[in-house]
């Protein structure tokens, strides 16, 4: 997270310290003689110095230790905001990929990050991972008095308070910045605690830049540090010893003293850690350099990895992150992208050889899955219904709309092939939106770039994008709708579909209608927005109801699915709508599936409907069964744009088994309806038995 | 690859042997007391036996050795056919992911696999990987005399001849089945060669089923083996020692002798390896079980991994592969899917600390990339042009069409969002097709499932699908066309686009036209197939030219892009085509981009055109410059179906920089054209300077 390095030629003092640190690391191991001489050659031809009389090199790892089998490893991370939350997930993916131990993650978060990460880990269901949250905002007062110039802000200082913030019985923890990537098993890092002497309490890798040498530019006055100092992107903290040593007093005293002569910290917590270590060098256990390979601009890290075939942790500690210039950055980037794009579902694999309680709900899910029969013709549907989708809410920065009593959020869901609808949708709907996107991890990154390169989309902060990660072969349409619906923050929602563009005036007219009709107060109603369709890509969107009627009469527009599925919208009564000046009530009829505006606390969609068919119909039945009035708005309209048929529709049309399975879902649904609403549900069953056209 | 186990209840003899092996595993090592007693408990309480009097612990991993730094590791794999080629790539991805050493892969392949893998590795450009091919068909006579019941056929026996087939100076090699997945660094496996005694020459993991105990069913007579025998999915071969020991004679003698009483091998090479080892037990070095965790049905492998947090190699040795039933299969499957879906481009990362020559062409590419400037407005275009795409030709089984002098292959390219076109295309074009698909590794698997579940597609063996792996943000349309074109195997090609459906009669009428016009003989011509479009998804495709003209007159069809880009097809002269009874010649004009039939050796598409715009126009100019006659066919037609605009078209329309970059590509192209064709290219430049509409 922190930029900590712009190398220059090394001074003699620095060299001395470097070698001293090397001694700490490898003193006495004769195997490390060769790399030292090569490492020394990198220092501008200076002759190798050997002040300690030891043959050491700080960038060669000690032989790997066998990781302690099944020991619970403790990890702490400070994380705030939408972007850091995405970073932390990539870090955790790399961590989980290589780990073979149970983990306990201690996450110090602001409200935004907590909201995101709590949902994510809950839906991720990774075995043998415990999560604890700590409120960063509560900890703020402990560090807010420190003037800090680093871009990470107050959160950058928060690692200082971990010994008191974490549970008192927690003795050891590995602390990680959000911008590190693991390339190895964290148990090997944990095993380095065993190298600590009785007094050492902080394990750190040397800073791989010359920042703390103070010779980077004229009048550069860094905080005091031992030689090149240490980087705090990866820390082994012996919490019990720090508490015993009076850590809280210690760091506050040091910070206050230095702040008498220095105006502020430049590198946040790292400045203070270094000042303390300078004062109490017995506290620090230097770690092998490959446990924190720092890719700041002009980093000196190459000395570390040019000798090592075995990099352990990569630290993207330049504000340029992946765009940092570095001869080898392509290789590091590939490692990072591996985890950025990695299908996180695959990390749900259990740890062999370590008995661990399964995550909440996992056992029931396993049992339900085990009861499915692969021979069942609808196996795919049943499996899809049981799929537990990872959910990353507010994937991009999002500002909730200021609370307004009649505000309405557009709710919809989509996958990659409908991304091109987003810009047009933003132009048509200037209000808040809550959109669920069904994506793979790799697609989520493509989506991110798509938004970043779109001026229209990146200008909008009131559109919340919730990524639901793909799993299974059928589109879980109602589960997606429920995610988007649950995240809507206004009192009302407009339940739309992504291939519709609303009238330009719809957002403002809906708010007016909600107010006029006193919705939410006495009245329990669903406002119907009449739906139309065009069959042409290029068409000029009507700016008024009058214009729309002209296009309708000219045959340029139709009422929605007039040719294929008229019963879906017939109850809206388009003939009446033509003339209507005021909202009018309509009655439910079989297969009715209008687009409606309802209070946020409306019934959820039935998640059993996956793939194509009947998913919205069931929801309208539920509204009717709960006695929502259906009120058609006289000026409102929305228009469907053409698109190639989805793979699910194609399968529905071409595959009789698929249709049979949808029928089976309908039957199940009706049974549940009868159970729930009793005689009141009779009308739905009766309607079902009328002879009709295809579904 | 091999099914080697169908356990039943254990007989007493089996029990004894099992315990014997248990002893091999855990005897003598005090650290393994706990697992041993637990292992013994699984044996129904029988006391441990010690028939051999050996105190070896040959199946427990020795503490991990530091892998020999930068040593070149040798790996041999036998691979034949389209499906095994896909398997081998997944195996190699897992291998490369964890490796830190340079590798030399020795691939014993049939012609199909060689064609696929040669193209793949050439375009993959992974540093520090050498590839050698060996012709499996040449080796066949050495094993074809052995009667073999195993489904792998003759190729299953070919591991026996590796000591003579591989280069005589190759001393050691790791031999792998195509159905294994690595979960660790292969250098750790290679390091086990160091444990071989002076005489041992074959390192193997015990077979994790009771097959060789011969008690699986009545009259089951397996080949002779030491106890439970060994599995040959992972072999460490000390080739030099085998050659010295007279391996060729040895295995042939054993095989012939056993075949006097046994009718055939059941498990291919594995039967013979086991018979030899039974006879010469000093040859074998047993390897720790986790180096070949065998997931056959009812495998006994759980004994191995329930104790190990650290699995090294997974072996899918059931014909059911991923569908095998096993309590833990979900976890193993996740590991396998990790590599199946892994973006292979990310494996292009160099090995740090090992100086290795870069793969051919990599250095020039690096230099070209290094010269690009991120500030350049067209940086994205230039980067995309340099992208080296991995290419997997004939991703699915494919039978080349029998050679016919006038046959014609439909050539097109697509990405995921056009998959739904494939079935319709197959119905319209009964002839051979060569299609390039632009996919991620994960999408390639979705595509595979899509074809497998489509009756229409899986019935066709004359459609060749070539996967070009995605890299970069712009669609490399002409590179894709060139891949599909290069793989067409008929003398003529119809250069189409995926969103067009040809007339049902086109395939047969084209062959007739080619014959009548004596194309390819004296005449150098491009046959123009007139293009039309419908704006409706649902439309009934005209079965004749007469029907098409009726639809055209009714306004249900248009000539292609009549509204937006008439100059693209104007020279086809639709008015003349209405009346034409015979082919007629037309002249090139600016921006002409008809769909044409040409000999396979026609000019390639210009790969500099990426994204949207001008990619086909440039190709027609090239044809005209090379003096291809343009002959319009009077009965031929093809119709464009509507689809949502691609992201590239949207960017073209909305982004002036994008259009400027396309213009820059055009300018470059014209400069090259002038250089190449001199004065003859003048007419293209002149045409360019005429005032016209938008691109």
């Amino acid at each position: 997270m922190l930029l900590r390095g712009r190398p220059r030629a090394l001074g003699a003092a620095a060299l001395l310290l470097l070698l001293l640190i090397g001694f700490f690391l490898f003193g006495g191991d004769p195997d490390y003689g060769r790399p030292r001489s090569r490492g020394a050659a990198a220092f501008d031809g200076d002759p190798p110095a050997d002040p300690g009389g030891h043959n050491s090199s700080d960038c060669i790892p000690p032989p790997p230790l066998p990781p302690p089998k099944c020991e619970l490893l403790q990890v702490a991370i400070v994380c705030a905001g939408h972007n850091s939350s995405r970073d932390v997930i990539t870090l955790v993916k790399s961590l989980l990929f290589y780990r073979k131990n149970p983990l306990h993650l201690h996450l110090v978060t602001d409200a935004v990050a907590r909201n995101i990460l709590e949902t994510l880990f809950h839906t991720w269901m990774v075995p043998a991972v415990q999560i604890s949250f700590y409120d960063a905002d509560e900890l703020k007062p402990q560090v807010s008095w420190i003037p800090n110039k680093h871009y990470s802000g107050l959160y950058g200082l928060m690692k200082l308070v971990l010994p008191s913030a974490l549970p008192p019985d927690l003795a050891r923890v590995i602390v990680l910045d959000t911008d590190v990537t693991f390339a190895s098993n964290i148990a090997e890092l944990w095993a380095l605690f065993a190298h600590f002497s009785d007094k050492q309490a902080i394990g750190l890798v040397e800073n791989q830049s010359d920042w703390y040498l103070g010779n980077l530019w004229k009048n550069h006055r860094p905080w005091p540090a031992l030689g090149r100092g240490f980087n705090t992107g990866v820390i082994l903290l012996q919490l019990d010893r720090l508490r015993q040593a009076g850590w809280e007093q210690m760091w506050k005293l040091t910070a206050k003293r230095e702040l008498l002569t220095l105006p502020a910290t430049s590198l946040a917590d790292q400045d203070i850690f270094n000042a303390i270590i300078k004062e109490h060098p017995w506290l620090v256990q230097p770690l092998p350099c490959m446990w924190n390979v720092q890719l700041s601009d002009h980093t000196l890290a190459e000395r570390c990895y040019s000798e090592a075939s075995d990099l352990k942790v990569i630290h993207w500690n330049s504000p340029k992150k992946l765009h940092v210039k570095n001869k080898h950055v392509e290789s590091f980037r590939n490692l990072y992208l591996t985890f950025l794009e990695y299908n996180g579902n695959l990390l749900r694999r259990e740890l062999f050889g370590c008995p661990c309680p399964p995550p909440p709900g996992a056992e029931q899910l396993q049992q339900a899955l085990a009861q499915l029969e692969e021979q069942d013709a609808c196996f795919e549907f049943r499996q899809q219904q049981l799929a537990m989708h990872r959910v990353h809410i507010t994937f991009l920065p999002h500002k909730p709309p200021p609370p307004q009593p009649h505000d309405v959020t557009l709710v919809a869901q989509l996958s990659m092939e409908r991304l091109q609808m987003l810009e047009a949708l933003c132009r048509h709907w200037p209000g808040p939106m809550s959109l669920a996107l069904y994506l793979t991890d790799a697609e989520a990154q493509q989506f991110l770039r798509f938004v970043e390169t779109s001026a229209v989309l990146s200008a909008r902060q009131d559109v919340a994008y919730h990524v639901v990660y793909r799993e299974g072969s059928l589109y879980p349409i109602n589960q997606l709708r429920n995610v988007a619906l649950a995240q809507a923050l206004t009192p009302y929602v407009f339940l739309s579909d992504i291939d519709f563009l609303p009238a330009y005036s719809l957002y403002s007219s809906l708010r007016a209608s909600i107010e006029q009709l006193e919705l939410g107060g006495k009245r329990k109603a669903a406002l119907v927005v009449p739906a139309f369709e065009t069959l042409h890509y290029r068409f000029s969107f009507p700016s008024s109801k009058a214009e729309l009627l002209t296009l309708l009469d000219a045959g340029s527009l139709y009422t929605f699915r007039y040719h294929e599925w008229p019963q879906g919208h017939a109850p809206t009564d388009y003939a009446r709508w033509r003339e209507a000046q005021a909202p009018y009530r309509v009655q439910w009829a079989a297969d009715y599936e209008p687009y409606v505006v309802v209070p946020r606390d409306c019934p959820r969609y039935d998640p059993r409907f996956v793939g194509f068919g009947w998913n919205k119909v069931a929801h309208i039945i539920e509204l009717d069964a709960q006695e929502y009035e259906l009120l058609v708005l006289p000026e409102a309209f929305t228009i469907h744009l053409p698109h190639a048929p989805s793979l699910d529709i194609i399968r529905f049309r071409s595959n009789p088994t698929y249709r049979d399975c949808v029928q089976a879902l309908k039957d199940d649904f009706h049974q549940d309806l009868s159970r729930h609403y009793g005689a009141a549900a009779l009308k739905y069953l009766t309607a079902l038995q009328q002879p009709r056209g295809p579904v």
Side-chain angles (χ1 to χ4, degrees), chain A:
Chain A
M1 198 194 285
L2 312 178
L3 164 65
R4 287 155 184 165
R6 296 196 202 160
R8 290 271 174 93
L10 288 169
L15 194 64
L16 198 76
L17 269 157
L18 197 78
L19 287 161
L20 188 65
I21 289 157
F23 164 72
F24 269 98
L25 279 172
F26 305 111
D29 189 338
D31 281 357
Y32 292 103
R34 189 188 56 82
R36 200 242 340 209
S37 57
R38 288 177 62 183
F43 290 84
D44 303 325
D46 280 15
D50 193 357
H54 291 274
N55 273 344
S56 61
S57 152
D58 52 351
C59 282
I60 285 295
L65 297 168
K69 197 183 169 199
C70 297
E71 185 180 352
L72 178 65
L73 312 187
Q74 311 282 346
V75 176
I77 304 170
V78 179
C79 174
H82 297 90
N83 295 334
S84 282
S85 295
R86 283 202 314 279
D87 290 345
V88 103
I89 293 165
T90 307
L91 157 59
V92 170
K93 282 159 86 177
S94 74
L95 198 57
L96 293 177
F97 184 84
Y98 294 104
R99 65 96 182 229
K100 302 192 197 302
N101 287 60
L103 298 176
H104 190 158
L105 303 185
H106 303 268
L107 304 175
V108 180
T109 52
D110 68 349
V112 164
R114 176 164 185 158
N115 199 17
I116 294 171
L117 295 175
E118 214 161 34
T119 309
L120 182 90
F121 282 108
H122 175 70
T123 53
W124 200 348
M125 294 178 87
V126 183
V129 175
Q130 291 174 55
I131 313 281
S132 299
F133 286 96
Y134 306 85
D135 188 345
D137 296 326
E138 270 181 22
L139 302 174
K140 266 187 184 170
Q142 296 187 52
V143 291
S144 56
W145 56 274
I146 306 169
N148 173 28
K149 287 190 275 186
H150 193 261
Y151 62 83
S152 58
L154 270 188
Y155 297 104
L157 291 161
M158 226 158 257
K159 280 178 269 174
L160 291 166
V161 305
L162 288 175
S164 58
L166 296 177
D169 59 345
L170 191 66
R172 295 169 165 189
V173 73
I174 294 175
V175 186
L176 301 172
D177 273 0
T178 57
D179 57 353
V180 304
T181 309
F182 271 76
S184 57
N185 183 348
I186 191 172
E188 295 174 41
L189 178 59
W190 186 264
L192 298 178
F193 272 122
H195 293 256
F196 280 42
S197 71
D198 287 352
K199 289 199 162 177
Q200 290 172 338
I202 308 175
L204 289 169
V205 171
E206 194 201 16
N207 205 28
Q208 290 160 4
S209 89
D210 286 347
W211 173 278
Y212 286 108
L213 299 181
N215 56 6
L216 287 186
W217 54 84
K218 221 180 144 179
N219 297 329
H220 168 48
R221 264 194 74 205
W223 278 52
L226 267 189
R228 193 170 270 119
F230 293 92
N231 183 286
T232 56
V234 175
I235 319 178
L236 265 58
L237 275 192
Q238 192 84 37
L239 295 164
D240 49 359
R241 289 191 196 149
L242 287 175
R243 292 181 194 117
Q244 276 165 21
W247 170 256
E248 195 173 332
Q249 272 207 310
M250 192 188 287
W251 76 258
K252 284 186 179 164
L253 208 66
T254 302
K256 279 178 186 160
R257 192 190 55 228
E258 296 301 331
L259 284 167
L260 295 176
T261 56
L262 288 156
T265 59
S266 298
L267 303 180
D269 69 295
Q270 183 167 303
D271 283 340
I272 299 176
F273 268 102
N274 273 296
I276 297 165
I277 288 167
K278 171 104 180 181
E279 207 178 338
H280 312 284
W282 47 270
L283 271 176
V284 76
Q285 158 74 3
L287 303 178
C289 61
M290 63 277 287
W291 285 106
N292 183 350
V293 176
Q294 301 149 41
L295 298 185
S296 44
D297 283 355
H298 310 111
T299 171
L300 306 174
E302 199 179 337
R303 289 182 205 167
C304 176
Y305 63 75
S306 68
E307 290 299 330
S309 57
D310 215 16
L311 300 171
K312 304 293 192 181
V313 174
I314 311 299
H315 187 184
W316 299 91
N317 61 332
S318 154
K320 296 183 192 160
K321 301 298 173 197
L322 291 193
H323 297 284
V324 68
K325 293 278 181 199
N326 174 310
K327 206 166 77 181
H328 303 282
V329 74
E330 200 59 42
S331 290
F332 294 116
R333 196 149 40 196
N334 282 357
L335 184 76
Y336 175 79
L337 291 176
T338 292
F339 298 108
L340 193 69
E341 298 181 352
Y342 187 69
N343 177 355
N345 302 345
L346 300 180
L347 294 165
R348 286 172 176 160
R349 52 180 192 245
E350 64 201 289
L351 297 183
F352 291 115
C354 296
C356 292
E363 242 166 347
Q364 297 89 305
L365 188 61
Q366 279 306 322
Q367 282 167 9
L369 281 167
Q371 280 167 10
L372 298 185
E373 297 204 3
E374 279 194 54
Q375 277 65 44
D376 178 353
C378 300
F379 172 73
E380 208 183 338
F381 281 76
R382 304 198 193 287
Q383 198 183 30
Q384 185 70 61
Q385 288 162 350
L386 290 174
M388 184 73 187
H389 298 282
R390 252 179 318 141
V391 178
H392 186 149
I393 59 170
T394 55
F395 189 74
L396 300 183
H398 171 246
K399 267 196 197 148
Q404 288 173 4
H406 308 108
D407 205 0
V408 52
T409 298
L410 186 148
V411 168
Q413 32 70 43
L414 66 153
S415 55
M416 282 306 271
E417 78 255 33
R418 298 282 181 271
L419 273 197
Q420 79 278 358
M421 288 297 296
L422 290 177
E423 289 199 3
L425 190 56
C426 278
R427 290 198 190 93
H428 281 253
W429 182 268
M433 294 196 245
S434 177
L435 305 174
L437 293 104
Y438 192 51
L439 305 175
T440 63
D441 293 68
E443 286 171 345
Q445 297 305 316
Q446 288 177 40
F447 162 68
L448 180 64
R449 284 191 294 275
F450 178 77
V451 173
E452 282 170 352
T453 55
S454 159
V456 176
L457 300 183
S458 46
R460 289 287 288 268
Q461 295 235 297
D462 56 349
V463 181
Y465 300 102
H466 315 293
V467 174
V468 177
Y469 288 101
R470 287 176 75 112
E471 186 168 11
S473 54
L474 294 165
Y475 190 74
I477 185 161
N478 279 358
Q479 295 175 52
L480 294 171
R481 286 183 171 130
N482 286 341
V483 167
L485 179 52
Q487 297 301 323
L489 302 172
T490 57
Y492 299 91
V493 285
F494 171 37
L495 304 175
S496 185
D497 272 337
I498 195 66
D499 39 13
F500 277 83
L501 291 181
Y504 287 106
S505 59
L506 190 65
Y507 176 56
S508 63
S509 75
L510 283 181
R511 285 177 299 163
S513 299
I514 291 165
E515 188 166 8
Q516 281 159 19
L517 295 167
E518 296 183 49
L519 223 66
K522 290 156 275 181
R523 204 153 181 184
K524 192 171 172 187
L527 307 182
V528 174
V529 177
F532 298 83
E533 74 180 348
T534 167
L535 301 177
H536 290 67
Y537 282 105
R538 306 200 161 205
F539 100 111
S540 108
F541 200 95
S543 62
S544 66
K545 178 176 179 178
E547 256 185 62
L548 176 123
L549 292 176
T550 311
L551 291 170
L552 199 62
D553 292 339
S556 305
L557 281 183
Y558 299 94
T559 59
F560 184 51
R561 298 188 79 201
Y562 176 76
H563 298 91
E564 303 103 34
W565 180 242
Q567 66 269 46
H569 292 264
T572 295
D573 195 351
Y574 288 100
R576 182 165 175 195
W577 184 78
R578 285 188 83 104
E579 315 297 334
Q581 301 290 328
Y584 58 92
R585 187 163 180 185
V586 295
Q587 294 304 316
W588 177 87
D591 297 326
Y592 192 31
E593 47 174 359
Y595 292 93
V596 295
V597 176
V598 281
R600 186 176 56 183
D601 63 356
C602 70
R604 303 292 107 159
Y605 287 88
D606 189 321
R608 89 183 85 199
F609 292 101
V610 293
F612 177 81
W614 237 68
N615 41 66
K616 224 164 31 242
V617 173
H619 188 243
I620 297 294
I621 289 182
E622 195 76 47
L623 289 179
D624 187 64
Q626 294 194 17
E627 298 178 337
Y628 280 73
E629 277 182 71
L630 294 165
L631 291 175
V632 182
L633 297 177
E635 297 296 327
F637 62 88
T638 185
I639 302 180
H640 180 264
L641 262 62
H643 53 75
S646 70
L647 291 180
D648 270 308
I649 291 185
I650 289 179
R651 291 181 65 191
F652 182 88
R653 287 185 190 148
S654 68
N655 188 337
T657 311
Y658 193 110
R659 290 198 297 273
D660 290 346
C661 294
V662 173
Q663 184 60 48
L665 298 182
K666 284 170 65 173
D667 294 345
D668 285 358
F669 170 79
H670 275 285
Q671 278 184 15
D672 286 354
L673 208 65
S674 300
R675 260 182 230 122
H676 199 141
Y677 296 102
L682 198 61
K683 73 169 177 179
Y684 308 116
L685 266 179
T686 315
L688 197 66
Q689 282 144 11
Q690 306 297 317
R692 281 170 302 124
V695 183

